[in-house]
C-alpha cells in the first residue's frame, strides 16, 4: 500500500542548544502543501534557531524531514527558498554576479522569471552595484529574488518584511499567496501579528523554546477569547498582566 | 561596577566584531560568552606564537655556532616583525569594515569629531598591542643576552613599517579612483603592501652568503640599517627610520581607523554607474560557477593579498632558481619545491576565507561541503603545477636533474589534503560564530603545515632507511592520497 505524502516539512521533537542555553526544546510541527504556517513568538523565543536548524546551519536533535526525503542538504536545498532576518547574500559580489551564481547553482533555465522579479522589486538599476553598497531594504530584495527565482516547494521566511518598502512588501505578499495557490508551502516566522493574522492558515506560538499553543488561526482566536492575533498572542505568553504593571509604573 | 574607558570598550567591540563576526557570516556563535572569552585568549596565543618565532630566529641568528649571517638573520626577524602586525591587521580590517554600528554610536555622543577619531585610532591599536609589546620585548631581551642589537632594531623596524604599510594600504583602498586603470592599480598596491614582508622571510635562507661588509654603502637605507644595529651609525640610522615610520603611523591611524568603521573601501567597492550587459552569464557546472564567484570576490578583497603574495614570492623564488647553477639547483630543489608547495595552499585558503563573508548564503544553495571544496581543489591543481612545473622547467633548461623534482611533480595530494582540512576548520569556526581572522589563520597554518609535511616526512624516512628512490616516492604519494581521502570523507560528514 502506498501512502501519499501531503506534507512538505515535518519537524519532530526538535531541540537546539547553544552551550548550556536551550534555544528550542522539543518542538514539533508539520507544514502541508498549499499552507502558510506561522511560527510566532517574542524575541529570543527560538524562532530563528528553529529555522537555522531546518536550514542545517546549527546542530540540532530530533528529526527534520523535507518532502519525505530526510534532512535538507545538497541538492534537496533546491526545494527550499529562504529569506532570513538579515539578508543572506555575498556582499563582495555585484547584484548581477550574485544572481548569476544563484541561478547557475540552482540550475534555473527560466531567465524570464528572473527578469520579471528584478523588475518587480525595482532592482534593475542596481544590477551593477556591489551588494555591500546597497541599502538594507535593497539587500533584502536581492535575498528575496534569490530565494524564489527557482520556484521552491517550501518558502522559509524569517521576518522577511524587514526594511522592505510598502510597494515591495505588497508585491511579496502577493507572491506568497500565489505560491500557496500553486501548492507550495510557507514557513513564516514573525513577531508582527498583523501580517501573521492576514496570511497564516495555521500557527504555532512558542516561548522560551517551547510550544505554547498551536492550531488554525481562527481556532486560536476563539480558544483564547481574543479579538485579534496580537491579543491572543499576549494572552498565550501571559504577557498582558506584565504589560499593565510595567506601563503603570512608567 | 568596574569602570571601562571608551577606547577600551571600543577595542573590545572591534575585536568582537572582527573575531566573532556574526554580522558577516550570518551564523550566531553557539556560546557567545565563550567566544568573547576566546577573543582575548586568541590575542594572547597569537602574541606568544609570534614572540616565540621572533625569539627563536633571534636565537638562531645570534648564536655563534650558527653561521646564518647577520644580514640574513636581520632580514628574517625584520620580516617576522612586519608579518606579525600585518597578518593580524589584514583579516581584522577585512572583518571590521562595514560594521558601521560603532560609528553610528559614536556619532550620537557629544564628543567632538577629532576626539572621536583619536579614540578609534587608539582602539584599533589596542587590537594589536599585545603582539607589538610581546615581540619587541622578546627581541630586546634576546638582544641583551646575545649582544645582538640588530635583532631589536630589525623587529621594531619591521613592526613600525608593517603598521605603516598596513595603514597606507587601507588609506589607499578608501581612495576613489577615477579610471579603471587607477582603480586596478590602487587595488593591487593596497592588497600587496601588507604582505611584502613575506619576501625577506622567504629569501633569508638565500641571503646567508651576503656579508654585512659588502652592504656597508647601504647602511642608511631601511631595512639594511637595522642589520648594522650593533654599530653606533647603524643604530642611529635605525632609530631615525623607526621614528619616521612611527610618526607616519601616529598621523595615519586616527583617519584610517575612522574610515574603516565607516563603510567598505571604495577602491574595492566603488559605486558603479556604468550599464551592465543584458545577457546573463549562467554556468552549468557548479564547480566553475563557484570558482568564478570566488575570483570575482578575490579581485575586490583585502584578502586578495593572500593570492597576490604567493605569486610574487613564487616569481622571486623562480628568479633565484634561474640565477643558481645547475649543481646548486639540484641541492636547492627540495627546499624550493617545499616552499612552492606551501605557497600554493595559501590561495585556496584565501578563497575559503572570502566565502566567510556571507557564509549563510552559500548554505542555502544546493551545495554540499565537498562541492564547495572542489573549486579550491581545481585552483590548487593549477597553482601547484604552475609553481612546481615552472621550477622543474628551470631545472631542465639548466641541465639539472629532473629526478630531484619528481617527488613534487607526483606529490600533489599532500597539499591537496590541506583543502578538506581547511574546509573542516572553517565549518568548526562557523559553528562557534567565528570569522576569517587570527584563530583561523593560526589553526590553518599549524595544521596545514603538518598535513602537507607528512608525505614528505614519509619520503625522508624511507630514504633514510635506504628503501629506494622510487619506492620512497611511491610511499609518499600513497600517504598523500590516504590523507586526502580521509579528510574529504570527514568533510562530507559535515553535510
Amino acid at each position: 500500500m502506498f501512502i501519499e505524502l501531503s506534507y512538505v516539512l515535518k519537524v519532530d521533537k526538535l531541540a537546539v542548544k547553544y552551550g548550556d542555553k536551550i534555544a528550542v526544546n522539543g518542538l514539533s510541527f508539520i507544514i502541508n502543501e498549499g499552507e502558510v504556517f506561522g511560527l510566532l513568538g517574542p524575541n529570543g523565543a527560538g524562532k530563528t534557531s528553529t529555522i537555522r536548524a531546518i536550514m542545517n546551519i546549527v546542530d540540532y536533535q530530533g528529526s527534520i524531514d523535507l518532502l519525505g526525503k530526510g534532512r535538507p542538504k545538497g541538492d534537496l536545498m533546491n526545494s527550499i527558498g529562504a529569506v532570513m532576518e538579515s539578508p543572506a547574500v555575498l556582499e563582495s559580489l555585484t547584484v548581477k554576479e550574485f544572481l548569476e551564481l544563484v541561478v547557475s547553482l540552482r540550475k534555473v533555465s527560466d531567465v524570464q522569471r528572473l527578469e520579471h522579479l528584478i523588475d518587480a522589486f525595482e532592482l534593475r538599476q542596481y544590477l551593477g552595484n556591489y551588494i555591500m553598497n546597497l541599502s538594507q531594504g535593497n539587500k533584502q530584495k536581492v535575498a528575496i529574488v534569490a530565494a524564489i527565482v527557482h520556484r521552491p516547494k517550501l518558502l522559509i521566511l524569517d521576518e522577511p518584511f524587514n526594511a522592505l518598502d510598502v510597494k515591495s512588501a505588497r508585491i511579496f505578499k502577493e507572491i506568497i499567496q500565489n505560491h500557496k495557490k500553486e501548492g507550495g508551502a510557507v514557513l513564516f516566522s514573525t513577531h508582527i501579528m498583523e501580517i501573521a493574522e492576514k496570511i497564516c492558515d495555521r500557527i504555532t506560538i512558542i516561548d522560551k523554546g517551547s510550544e505554547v499553543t498551536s492550531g488554525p488561526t481562527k481556532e486560536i482566536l476563539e480558544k483564547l477569547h481574543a479579538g485579534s492575533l496580537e491579543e491572543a498572542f499576549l494572552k498565550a505568553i501571559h504577557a498582558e498582566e506584565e504589560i499593565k504593571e510595567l506601563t503603570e509604573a512608567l | 561596577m568596574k569602570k571601562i574607558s571608551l577606547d577600551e570598550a571600543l577595542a573590545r567591540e572591534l575585536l568582537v566584531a572582527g573575531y566573532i563576526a556574526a554580522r558577516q557570516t550570518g551564523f550566531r556563535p553557539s556560546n557567545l560568552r565563550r567566544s568573547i572569552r576566546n577573543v582575548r585568549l586568541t590575542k594572547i596565543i597569537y602574541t606568544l606564537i609570534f614572540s616565540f618565532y621572533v625569539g627563536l630566529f633571534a636565537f638562531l641568528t645570534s648564536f655563534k655556532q650558527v653561521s646564518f649571517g647577520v644580514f640574513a638573520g636581520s632580514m628574517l626577524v625584520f620580516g617576522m616583525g612586519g608579518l606579525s602586525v600585518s597578518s593580524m591587521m589584514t583579516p581584522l580590517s577585512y572583518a571590521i569594515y562595514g560594521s558601521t554600528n560603532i560609528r553610528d554610536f559614536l556619532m550620537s555622543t557629544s564628543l567632538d569629531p577629532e576626539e572621536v577619531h583619536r579614540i578609534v585610532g587608539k582602539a584599533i591599536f589596542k587590537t594589536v598591542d599585545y603582539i607589538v609589546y610581546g615581540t619587541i620585548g622578546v627581541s630586546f631581551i634576546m638582544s641583551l643576552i646575545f649582544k645582538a642589537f640588530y635583532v631589536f632594531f630589525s623587529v621594531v623596524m619591521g613592526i613600525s613599517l608593517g603598521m605603516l604599510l598596513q595603514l597606507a594600504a587601507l588609506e589607499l583602498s578608501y581612495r576613489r579612483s577615477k579610471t579603471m586603470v587607477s582603480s586596478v592599480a590602487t587595488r593591487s598596491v593596497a592588497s600587496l603592501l601588507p604582505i611584502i614582508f613575506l619576501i625577506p622571510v622567504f629569501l633569508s635562507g638565500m641571503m646567508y652568503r651576503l656579508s654585512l661588509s659588502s652592504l656597508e654603502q647601504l647602511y642608511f637605507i631601511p631595512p639594511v640599517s637595522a642589520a648594522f644595529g650593533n654599530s653606533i651609525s647603524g643604530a642611529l640610522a635605525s632609530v631615525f627610520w623607526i621614528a619616521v615610520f612611527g610618526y607616519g603611523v601616529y598621523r595615519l591611524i586616527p583617519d584610517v581607523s575612522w574610515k574603516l568603521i565607516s563603510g567598505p573601501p571604495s577602491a574595492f567597492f566603488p559605486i558603479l554607474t556604468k550599464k551592465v550587459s543584458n545577457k546573463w552569464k549562467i554556468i552549468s557546472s557548479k564547480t566553475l560557477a563557484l570558482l568564478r564567484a570566488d575570483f570575482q570576490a578575490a579581485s575586490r578583497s583585502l584578502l586578495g593579498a593572500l593570492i597576490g603574495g604567493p605569486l610574487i614570492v613564487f616569481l622571486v623564488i623562480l628568479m633565484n632558481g634561474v640565477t643558481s647553477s645547475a649543481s646548486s639547483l639540484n641541492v636547492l630543489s627540495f627546499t624550493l619545491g617545499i616552499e612552492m608547495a606551501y605557497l600554493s595552499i595559501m590561495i585556496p585558503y584565501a578563497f575559503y576565507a572570502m566565502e566567510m563573508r556571507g557564509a549563510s548564503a552559500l548554505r542555502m544553495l544546493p551545495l554540499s561541503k565537498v562541492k564547495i571544496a572542489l573549486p579550491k581543489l581545481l585552483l590548487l591543481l593549477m597553482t601547484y603545477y604552475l609553481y612546481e612545473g615552472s621550477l622543474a622547467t628551470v631545472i631542465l633548461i639548466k641541465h639539472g636533474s629532473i629526478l630531484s623534482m619528481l617527488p613534487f611533480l607526483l606529490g600533489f595530494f599532500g597539499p591537496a589534503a590541506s583543502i578538506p582540512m581547511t574546509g573542516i576548520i572553517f565549518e568548526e569556526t562557523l559553528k562557534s560564530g567565528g570569522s576569517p581572522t587570527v584563530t583561523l589563520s593560526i589553526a590553518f597554518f599549524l595544521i596545514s603545515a603538518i598535513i602537507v609535511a607528512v608525505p614528505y616526512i614519509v619520503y625522508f624516512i624511507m630514504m633514510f632507511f635506504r628503501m629506494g628512490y622510487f619506492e620512497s616516492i611511491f610511499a609518499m604519494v600513497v600517504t598523500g592520497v590516504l590523507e586526502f581521502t580521509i579528510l574529504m570523507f570527514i568533510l562530507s560528514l559535515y553535510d
Side-chain angles (χ1 to χ4, degrees):
Chain A
M1 192 178 110
F2 292 99
I3 300 169
E4 201 179 285
L5 288 170
S6 63
Y7 73 79
V8 175
L9 182 74
K10 188 176 175 185
V11 172
D12 193 30
K13 293 178 187 142
L14 180 75
V16 179
K17 275 172 85 177
Y18 297 119
D20 299 332
K21 196 189 156 215
I22 298 168
V24 181
N25 189 13
L27 192 63
S28 301
F29 59 84
I30 285 176
I31 307 176
N32 296 310
E33 286 179 349
E35 183 179 54
V36 179
F37 175 82
L39 188 63
L40 314 181
N43 295 334
K47 307 184 296 287
T48 301
S49 293
T50 303
I51 287 175
R52 281 165 187 264
I54 296 167
M55 298 301 296
N56 224 351
I57 291 175
V58 292
D59 288 337
Y60 62 87
Q61 288 176 317
S63 78
I64 295 171
D65 182 20
L66 181 68
L67 296 163
K69 292 173 184 168
R71 196 161 58 101
K73 62 172 185 174
D75 286 344
L76 197 50
M77 291 302 283
N78 249 347
S79 305
I80 297 182
V83 180
M84 306 298 271
E85 206 174 359
S86 48
V89 285
L90 294 171
E91 297 206 341
S92 308
L93 303 184
T94 64
V95 174
K96 189 162 187 270
E97 286 166 354
F98 178 65
L99 293 176
E100 278 174 345
L101 175 70
V102 170
V103 295
S104 295
L105 293 176
R106 294 217 186 263
K107 311 256 179 223
V108 175
S109 51
D110 186 3
V111 180
Q112 201 139 31
R113 177 171 164 83
L114 177 61
E115 296 276 2
H116 286 321
L117 286 170
I118 285 166
D119 289 332
F121 287 101
E122 296 173 332
L123 285 172
R124 193 162 292 282
Q125 58 184 312
Y126 302 111
L127 283 177
N129 285 52
Y130 293 106
I131 296 177
M132 184 164 281
N133 286 331
L134 296 183
S135 67
Q136 197 64 14
N138 280 329
K139 280 183 193 173
Q140 188 73 337
K141 289 181 194 175
V142 175
I144 290 173
V145 173
I148 59 179
V149 66
H150 58 298
R151 298 182 190 277
K153 189 75 183 170
L154 173 67
L155 267 181
I156 296 180
L157 310 174
D158 187 8
E159 304 289 1
F161 298 104
N162 270 357
L164 274 193
D165 58 64
V166 180
K167 188 180 164 192
S168 300
R170 181 62 182 268
I171 289 171
F172 193 38
K173 278 181 210 163
E174 293 293 329
I175 289 173
I176 294 170
Q177 291 303 333
N178 288 340
H179 175 77
K180 182 182 145 179
K181 276 181 208 157
E182 288 162 12
V186 181
L187 167 57
F188 182 63
S189 159
T190 186
H191 57 259
I192 305 170
M193 295 303 129
E194 289 86 352
I195 299 178
E197 191 170 349
K198 275 185 193 154
I199 68 172
C200 294
D201 301 305
R202 262 187 330 118
I203 57 170
T204 284
I205 297 176
I206 60 170
D207 192 19
K208 291 168 190 144
S210 302
E211 181 184 311
V212 177
T213 186
S214 180
T217 313
K218 276 183 189 168
E219 272 181 29
I220 286 184
L221 292 178
E222 282 167 17
K223 193 165 78 180
L224 294 166
H225 307 291
S228 68
L229 193 56
E230 181 182 294
E231 197 186 334
F233 176 78
L234 293 173
K235 278 184 176 172
I237 62 166
H238 309 291
E240 281 203 314
E241 277 300 306
E242 195 190 342
I243 291 171
K244 208 175 166 189
E245 277 173 32
L246 287 170
T247 46
E248 275 171 6
L250 288 172
Chain B
M1 194 186 276
K2 198 182 156 196
K3 273 192 179 174
I4 179 168
S5 65
L6 184 54
D7 54 299
E8 184 69 39
L10 283 183
R12 215 182 275 186
E13 174 64 18
L14 286 171
L15 278 169
V16 170
Y19 282 76
I20 298 176
R23 281 185 205 98
Q24 280 111 45
T25 60
F27 286 78
R28 268 186 210 173
S30 54
N31 186 335
L32 189 62
R33 202 180 289 266
R34 194 181 57 199
S35 300
I36 291 175
R37 210 170 40 230
N38 283 349
V39 167
R40 200 155 171 235
L41 188 68
T42 309
K43 216 174 127 179
I44 294 170
I45 293 174
Y46 206 60
T47 302
L48 288 176
I49 288 177
F50 264 102
S51 303
F52 169 76
Y53 274 117
V54 166
L56 178 74
F57 292 136
F59 173 77
L60 287 177
T61 57
S62 315
F63 200 56
K64 283 189 176 135
Q65 304 300 317
V66 182
S67 56
F68 194 64
V70 169
F71 181 63
S74 165
M75 287 304 99
L76 183 61
V77 287
F78 164 77
M80 287 302 288
L83 276 181
S84 69
V85 179
S86 61
S87 58
M88 189 147 172
M89 281 184 87
T90 303
L92 256 182
S93 14
Y94 172 74
I96 291 168
Y97 70 64
S99 298
T100 51
N101 60 313
I102 301 170
R103 180 204 56 184
D104 297 345
F105 160 71
L106 289 170
M107 294 287 272
S108 69
T109 64
S110 55
L111 294 164
D112 74 272
E114 254 181 51
E115 178 71 357
V116 168
H117 285 214
R118 198 187 57 77
I119 290 171
V120 178
K122 224 171 148 187
I124 289 277
F125 177 74
K126 279 195 171 168
T127 60
V128 291
D129 54 355
Y130 287 8
I131 210 156
V132 170
Y133 301 145
T135 45
I136 290 180
V138 167
S139 67
F140 184 67
I141 293 166
M142 297 305 277
S143 296
L144 285 181
I145 294 172
F146 294 105
K147 295 200 170 43
F149 296 102
Y150 67 88
V151 168
F152 172 73
F153 287 120
S154 303
V155 169
V156 179
M157 196 178 280
I159 287 174
S160 53
L161 186 60
M163 283 195 87
L164 183 63
L165 290 183
Q166 181 72 45
L167 292 169
L170 284 168
E171 173 69 35
L172 264 180
S173 65
Y174 279 91
R175 261 196 204 159
R176 289 197 187 284
S177 306
K178 284 184 183 152
T179 63
M180 190 51 110
V181 178
S182 70
S183 164
V184 171
T186 309
R187 247 186 264 175
S188 312
V189 175
S191 298
L192 296 176
L193 275 183
I195 42 90
I196 222 155
F197 293 95
L198 277 172
I199 297 171
V201 171
F202 270 91
L203 291 190
S204 56
M206 299 162 198
M207 295 176 188
Y208 68 97
R209 284 197 216 102
L210 276 174
S211 72
L212 210 53
S213 53
S214 68
L215 297 163
E216 216 155 333
Q217 301 287 318
L218 304 171
Y219 89 97
F220 192 71
I221 297 171
V224 182
S225 46
F228 288 89
N230 275 14
S231 68
I232 297 284
S233 53
L236 284 175
S238 300
V239 169
F240 171 78
W241 285 115
I242 290 166
V244 169
F245 300 149
Y247 180 71
V249 170
Y250 172 76
R251 287 300 301 266
L252 273 178
I253 205 168
D255 256 12
V256 172
S257 310
W258 182 251
K259 283 174 183 159
L260 196 60
I261 60 165
S262 298
S266 43
F268 291 103
F269 300 99
I271 312 272
L272 294 184
T273 46
K274 63 171 187 172
K275 258 180 102 176
V276 291
S277 96
N278 287 330
K279 218 176 153 208
W280 291 94
K281 292 174 195 143
I282 299 169
I283 300 178
S284 55
S285 155
K286 284 184 182 180
T287 304
L288 293 181
L290 195 54
L291 189 62
R292 178 180 65 178
D294 280 339
F295 269 117
Q296 284 164 337
S299 67
R300 53 192 76 128
S301 169
L302 286 168
L303 290 177
L306 286 171
I307 295 165
L311 283 173
I312 287 184
V313 180
F314 156 69
L315 290 174
V316 174
I317 294 175
L318 197 64
M319 282 308 292
N320 187 265
V322 171
T323 53
S324 300
S325 65
S327 55
S328 62
L329 254 183
N330 283 341
V331 180
L332 269 177
S333 62
F334 210 89
T335 318
L336 297 180
I338 289 183
E339 281 186 357
M340 295 284 196
Y342 276 107
L343 276 179
S344 64
I345 63 168
M346 285 174 77
I347 295 177
Y349 168 79
F351 279 16
Y352 261 116
M354 271 172 304
E355 282 175 10
M356 292 283 273
R357 195 184 273 275
S360 62
L362 283 184
R363 296 298 181 278
M364 289 174 197
L365 295 166
L367 283 168
S368 65
K369 304 295 178 289
V370 171
K371 271 261 188 279
I372 291 176
L374 286 182
K376 284 99 189 156
L377 199 63
L378 187 66
L379 185 71
L380 179 71
L381 187 77
M382 293 189 288
T383 319
Y384 183 82
Y385 281 105
L386 167 75
Y387 287 4
E388 303 291 3
S390 307
L391 193 59
T393 311
V394 170
I395 292 174
L396 265 182
I397 292 170
K398 302 207 100 182
H399 306 293
S401 164
I402 191 69
L403 274 181
S404 63
M405 279 303 289
L406 207 55
F408 298 105
L409 294 176
L410 296 173
F412 170 68
F413 282 97
S418 77
I419 289 181
M421 187 67 243
T422 311
I424 293 165
I425 297 171
F426 270 87
E427 287 305 319
E428 286 299 323
T429 312
L430 279 176
K431 272 190 191 170
S432 61
S435 73
T437 56
V438 184
T439 325
L440 203 60
S441 315
I442 296 171
F444 168 74
F445 287 111
L446 289 182
I447 302 172
S448 295
I450 298 166
I451 283 175
V452 174
V454 167
Y456 299 133
I457 292 170
V458 169
Y459 168 79
F460 268 125
I461 293 172
M462 294 279 286
M463 288 293 278
F464 182 77
F465 288 106
R466 297 175 190 281
M467 303 294 274
Y469 186 62
F470 292 105
E471 287 83 349
S472 304
I473 292 177
F474 179 73
M476 183 196 83
V477 173
V478 171
T479 312
V481 170
L482 271 177
E483 262 190 338
F484 176 75
T485 314
I486 293 168
L487 287 168
M488 266 295 188
F489 174 72
I490 297 173
L491 180 66
S492 72
L493 297 178
Y494 280 84
D495 275 328

